[in-house]
């Protein structure tokens, strides 16, 4: 694979889709239709389209004629459209709807990211920082419009799920991390000051806290510069916890503890489920938190909860697949980190462990694909330094000094 691949446009295409095209598309649909689009339909369609575009150069690389390449691309495109438009809705229309259908999303997104990185190479660290900065600025702009013009709750977002946006921003932020002796990407500090405000605008307390300790333990610069950033993230975390938000967000946060309690209670009632998982169509116990249940019933919200309704990733995957499922996933994600340990890879892997406690993580295509590409990029940083860093220009560190070339 050419050394220029990590700098190529195809390598960074998933980042462009996750950080700019898909959020702006969702915002455009909202502006045209006057209502929020169905994220479960728009996001997979966007990744389907990207997978089809990624297959085109592979088909062309088989030394086929132009006509045969176009024909194969049309057949592949029609198959993808038929699968998305007809197979998915037909399965959901079944009564009862297959409970295993939503659980196919994480392996599908992970496979797409792995195939993309294997075909085009991973994006450069600079690409993660740049597109993460773009997403951060978009979220800040949206927050400003919500407060000053549209009179909407601060957490309301037409760019996508705020938790998923926060995951993407944290993984992009990890590209600025560097341990002692590692090269630092150029102008990392400047991009951090675009990513951090966007992360604060997502009001995700766990994401802010995760970004803080990643910068504290793995961040670039000297400790006297990393500690203030950590303190800033702690202040933003406290603000995200105490600021009055919309009713849906408050209920989601209240239900997170109930979800964890319900999962462990259900697993405790069926000891064998720790290995094989719970039946996917099983309703979780309702009496895990009686006080919260009475609150939900008072406002007319259904207290019943199934595995497909769990918001947090780790309790959902433990309940669905048992302990072997998440352990296998963690081992697979650890392979690139252990192959060539870097602060970028360690930070992204640790952030994955943390963010899955309260966010959908791999059930969101944006977060899943960006994480896998980040781990792939981190594992090749040292061997592809010429592609990831501009060694002919001075690097701006967080402390304002120029790093050595």
């Amino acid at each position: 694979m050419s050394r220029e691949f990590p700098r190529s446009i195809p390598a960074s295409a998933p980042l462009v889709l996750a950080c700019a095209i898909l959020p702006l598309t969702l915002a455009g649909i909202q502006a045209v239709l006057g209502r929020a689009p169905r994220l479960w339909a728009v996001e997979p369609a966007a990744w389907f389209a990207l997978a089809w575009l990624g297959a085109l150069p592979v088909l062309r690389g088989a030394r086929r004629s132009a006509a045969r390449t176009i024909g194969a691309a049309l057949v592949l495109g029609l198959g993808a459209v038929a699968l998305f438009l007809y197979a998915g809705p037909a399965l959901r229309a079944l009564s009862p709807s297959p409970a295993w259908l939503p659980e196919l999303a994480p392996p599908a997104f992970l496979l797409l990211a792995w195939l993309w990185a294997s075909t085009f190479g991973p994006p450069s660290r600079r690409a993660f920082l740049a597109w993460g900065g773009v997403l951060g600025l978009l979220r800040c702009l949206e927050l400003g419009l919500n407060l000053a013009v549209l009179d909407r709750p601060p957490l309301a977002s037409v760019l996508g799920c705020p938790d998923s946006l926060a995951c993407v921003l944290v993984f992009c932020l990890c590209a600025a991390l560097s341990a002692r002796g590692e090269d630092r990407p150029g102008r990392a500090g400047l991009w951090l000051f675009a990513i951090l405000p966007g992360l604060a605008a997502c009001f995700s307390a766990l994401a802010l806290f995760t970004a803080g300790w990643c910068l504290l333990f793995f961040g670039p610069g000297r400790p006297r510069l990393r500690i203030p950033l950590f303190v800033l993230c702690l202040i933003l975390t406290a603000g995200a916890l105490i600021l009055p938000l919309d009713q849906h967000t408050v209920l989601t946060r209240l239900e997170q503890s109930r979800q964890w309690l319900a999962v462990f209670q259900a697993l405790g009632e069926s000891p064998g489920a720790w290995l094989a998982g719970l039946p996917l169509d099983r309703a979780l116990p309702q009496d895990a938190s009686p006080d919260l249940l009475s609150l939900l019933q008072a406002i007319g919200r259904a207290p019943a909860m199934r595995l497909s309704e769990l918001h947090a990733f780790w309790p959902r995957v433990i309940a669905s697949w048992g302990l072997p499922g998440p352990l296998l996933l963690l081992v697979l994600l650890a392979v690139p980190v252990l192959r060539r340990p870097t602060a970028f890879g360690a930070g992204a892997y640790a952030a994955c462990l943390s963010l899955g406690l309260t966010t959908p993580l791999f059930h969101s295509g944006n977060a899943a694909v960006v994480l896998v590409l980040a781990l792939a990029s981190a594992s090749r940083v040292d061997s592809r330094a010429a592609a990831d860093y501009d060694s002919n220009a001075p690097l701006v560190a967080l402390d304002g000094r120029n790093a050595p070339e």
Side-chain angles (χ1 to χ4, degrees):
M1 191 180 297
S2 170
R3 287 191 174 186
E4 296 299 320
F5 255 128
R7 298 180 65 181
S8 65
I9 294 177
S12 300
L15 294 180
V16 180
L17 176 62
C19 297
I21 296 179
L22 186 54
L24 291 176
T25 299
L26 293 173
I29 294 175
Q30 166 81 1
V32 173
L33 299 181
R35 56 182 174 84
R38 295 179 178 179
L39 188 61
W40 60 264
V42 176
E43 184 179 283
W47 291 108
F48 255 100
L50 182 70
W52 178 76
L53 292 174
L56 295 182
V58 177
L59 295 174
R60 181 59 179 168
R63 296 182 179 179
R64 297 182 178 180
S65 63
R68 295 186 64 182
T69 301
I70 294 174
L74 289 176
V75 171
L76 182 64
L78 290 175
V81 170
L83 182 64
F84 181 77
L85 293 181
Y86 298 103
L91 289 173
R92 283 191 296 270
L94 295 178
S95 182
S97 177
W100 48 264
L101 190 61
E103 308 309 318
L104 296 181
F109 289 134
L110 293 175
L111 179 62
L112 169 62
W114 177 75
L115 289 175
W116 194 276
S118 301
T119 304
F120 301 106
S124 67
R125 291 175 68 173
R126 186 170 295 168
F128 280 95
L129 291 171
W131 290 109
V134 169
L135 180 60
L137 294 176
L138 287 176
R139 177 54 191 159
C140 289
L141 176 61
E142 182 182 36
L143 177 62
L145 291 175
N146 287 345
L147 297 177
V149 179
L150 302 178
D151 193 25
R152 293 190 304 189
L155 198 60
S157 177
V158 297
L159 299 177
C161 172
D163 282 338
S164 298
L165 296 177
C167 289
V168 173
L169 288 171
V170 171
F171 297 142
C172 291
L173 176 144
C174 288
L177 307 180
S178 60
R180 185 182 298 273
E182 291 182 7
D183 293 322
R184 287 177 287 188
R187 299 175 178 84
L190 298 178
W191 289 119
L192 278 180
F193 291 111
I195 294 176
L196 280 176
L199 192 57
C202 291
F203 295 97
S204 176
L206 184 60
L208 287 165
F209 181 72
T210 300
W213 60 254
C214 280
L215 290 171
L216 178 65
F217 292 105
F218 304 111
R222 299 177 180 177
R224 64 183 177 85
L225 296 168
R226 299 200 302 267
I227 292 176
L229 284 176
F230 175 68
V231 173
L232 173 62
C233 289
L234 287 182
I235 295 173
L236 294 174
T237 301
L241 289 172
I242 64 177
L243 285 178
L245 301 174
D246 58 283
Q247 184 183 36
H248 173 75
T249 305
V250 173
L251 288 175
T252 300
R253 291 181 177 178
L254 288 174
E255 281 191 285
Q256 287 174 354
S257 59
R258 173 182 171 238
Q259 291 176 5
W260 277 95
L261 290 172
V263 166
F264 284 118
Q265 182 176 341
L267 292 173
E269 295 173 354
S270 305
W274 286 102
L275 292 178
L278 297 168
L280 296 179
D281 56 350
R282 171 178 173 177
L284 296 175
Q286 299 184 15
D287 58 346
S289 180
D291 295 337
L292 179 57
L293 287 178
S294 61
L295 173 62
L296 293 175
Q297 292 169 347
I299 63 174
R301 186 159 177 171
M305 179 170 56
R306 299 187 179 275
L307 293 181
S308 60
E309 299 173 3
L310 293 179
H311 184 72
F313 175 75
W314 291 121
R316 179 171 176 175
V317 72
I318 291 173
S320 301
W321 302 100
L323 285 178
L327 291 177
L328 176 61
L329 176 61
L330 291 175
V331 169
L332 292 176
L333 294 177
V335 170
V337 179
L338 297 177
R339 183 174 62 179
R340 182 170 286 109
T342 61
F344 181 14
Y349 187 81
C352 161
L353 297 176
S354 174
L355 294 174
L357 298 175
T358 60
T359 68
L361 201 59
F362 294 111
H363 284 92
S364 164
N366 292 1
V369 173
V370 172
L371 172 61
V372 174
L373 293 178
L375 295 177
S377 178
S379 69
R380 302 185 183 184
V381 164
D382 293 339
S383 62
R384 301 191 178 212
D388 283 352
Y389 310 111
D390 184 3
S391 60
N392 296 321
L395 304 180
V396 179
L398 285 177
D399 56 5
R401 300 179 182 179
N402 291 337
E405 297 183 358

